[in-house]
Amino acid sequence: MSAATAWGTAPLAWAQAAYPSKPLRLLVPFPAGGATDILARTVSQKLGERLGTTVVVENRPGAGGTIGSDLVAKAAPDGYTLLLATSSTHAIGPALNARLPYDPVHDFSPIAQVGLAPSIMLVPNSSPAHTVQEWIQHARRNPGRLNYASSGNGTIVQLTAELFKAQAGLFVVHIPYKGTALAIPDLVSGKLDVLFDSLPTGLPHVRDGRLRALGVTTLKRSPLVPDLPPIADVLPGFESTTWFGLYGPKGLPVELQTRLNTATQQALADPEVKDKLARLGIEGVTGSPTQFAALVAADAAKWKKIIVERKITGD
């Protein structure tokens, strides 16, 4: 190695050895107060403790998560700017919007999955179905007469229902709402037949007796709702969860990826973090950067197939 080469690489090596020497920015591409924001603030404190610095959560909402994601994609790959991404920003969004200002794969460095949030299949108490199998049989006897609600076109709620329809071979009409909270009264009254709602927002209505839950969208029973059978027991392979994960900009050094991944796993193992996430309806799940990248790739392929086959748009 020449003296010039050694001099050129020394500052980078020194910077990595001293990392972190200042606070980190964790960008959340959604508004404050939502599940992603609360998750970020829950994990960031323990993550900062493991790294020996402060992790500052910064909300940059807009365009379905695109604005905040783009800021990280174009940031310096020095480990000081991170993104808490979700299924919406990196698996679903790219299939709905071909004009993203960034490449969801090549413009980011995967660090670690942080967690997953399942959904539950909800029906009104007046429904004749008490199991997933019974609901499928009910729908097959009434093609085109039953409906499902969603939180809007192109959302995970609609995609979950369309995946269910595809695997079960059903004809069920879609009724979009501006958020599942607006659909709940119509579901309770029986105007709607089914809703695949997120666990934290849907479960309270089951616990207070207003709705009936038939199944959970994880492959196996979820520790968050251990008494609820997975829909996959009836439709093998059926799975729909919202994942959350940490990314850095493209070119993040492997050493920093490894250090951030280790610190993330340590933060998620903290009992306090586990408890807070469970109350939020999120199961803390992590793994290596490679495992995280594989998860996102598989999820993106699954949703792209549904979006293309069902001609789903985001408008």
Side-chain angles (χ1 to χ4, degrees):
M1 180 183 295
S2 68
T5 302
W7 176 253
T9 58
L12 177 60
W14 180 88
Q16 291 179 23
Y19 177 86
S21 59
K22 62 181 181 180
L24 276 62
R25 297 168 65 211
L26 175 56
L27 269 68
V28 174
F30 300 104
T36 310
D37 176 63
I38 298 172
L39 170 61
R41 295 178 190 281
T42 298
V43 175
S44 64
Q45 180 181 351
K46 298 298 180 181
L47 179 62
E49 290 177 4
R50 299 307 184 276
L51 292 170
T53 189
T54 301
V55 178
V56 179
V57 176
E58 185 176 325
N59 298 91
R60 289 298 185 95
T66 300
I67 293 176
S69 299
D70 189 45
L71 286 172
V72 176
K74 293 176 171 55
D78 55 10
Y80 289 100
T81 304
L82 308 177
L83 172 72
L84 184 57
T86 71
S87 309
S88 296
T89 61
H90 280 63
I92 297 172
L96 292 171
N97 182 7
R99 298 182 177 179
L100 289 176
Y102 53 80
D103 186 305
V105 176
H106 299 103
D107 287 343
F108 297 89
S109 298
I111 294 171
Q113 182 182 2
V114 175
L116 63 84
S119 295
I120 51 179
M121 183 179 181
L122 299 172
V123 299
N125 290 327
S126 59
S127 174
H130 288 75
T131 66
V132 173
Q133 185 61 56
E134 288 178 359
W135 200 92
I136 291 174
Q137 292 170 348
H138 176 50
R140 286 174 177 167
R141 289 192 296 266
N142 297 277
R145 297 178 182 176
L146 302 187
N147 56 52
Y148 78 86
S150 82
S151 51
N153 293 323
T155 61
I156 186 70
V157 182
Q158 183 195 12
L159 296 184
T160 301
E162 290 296 331
L163 179 65
F164 182 86
K165 286 169 54 180
Q167 290 193 220
L170 303 177
F171 174 23
V172 182
V173 178
H174 175 215
I175 301 181
Y177 286 74
K178 293 182 178 180
T180 58
L182 298 177
I184 291 295
D186 286 346
L187 186 65
V188 171
S189 69
K191 293 179 182 179
L192 296 170
D193 296 296
V194 69
L195 169 66
F196 292 85
D197 201 6
S198 65
L199 181 63
T201 57
L203 191 59
H205 302 294
V206 177
R207 288 176 172 163
D208 67 16
R210 299 178 70 209
L211 294 172
R212 181 186 305 151
L214 302 186
V216 65
T217 60
T218 46
L219 283 176
K220 299 179 181 180
R221 286 184 183 262
S222 169
L224 302 174
V225 280
D227 295 333
L228 201 58
I231 296 172
D233 284 356
V234 177
L235 300 176
F238 181 88
E239 182 182 23
S240 175
T241 59
T242 296
W243 54 257
F244 304 87
L246 281 179
Y247 280 104
K250 175 181 67 176
L252 187 67
V254 174
E255 294 83 357
L256 297 188
Q257 274 184 286
T258 301
R259 183 158 184 194
L260 287 164
N261 178 275
T262 299
T264 301
Q265 295 197 45
Q266 292 171 342
L268 289 170
D270 186 280
E272 182 181 349
V273 171
K274 286 184 176 180
D275 181 62
K276 286 185 178 180
L277 293 187
R279 284 189 273 115
L280 190 61
I282 296 174
E283 181 183 351
V285 178
T286 189
S288 70
T290 300
Q291 290 171 324
F292 178 39
L295 163 74
V296 177
D299 208 43
K302 176 176 70 178
W303 293 131
K304 183 176 182 178
K305 183 174 184 292
I306 289 293
I307 288 168
V308 172
E309 290 180 349
R310 299 278 165 158
K311 297 181 173 59
I312 295 172
T313 63
D315 52 24

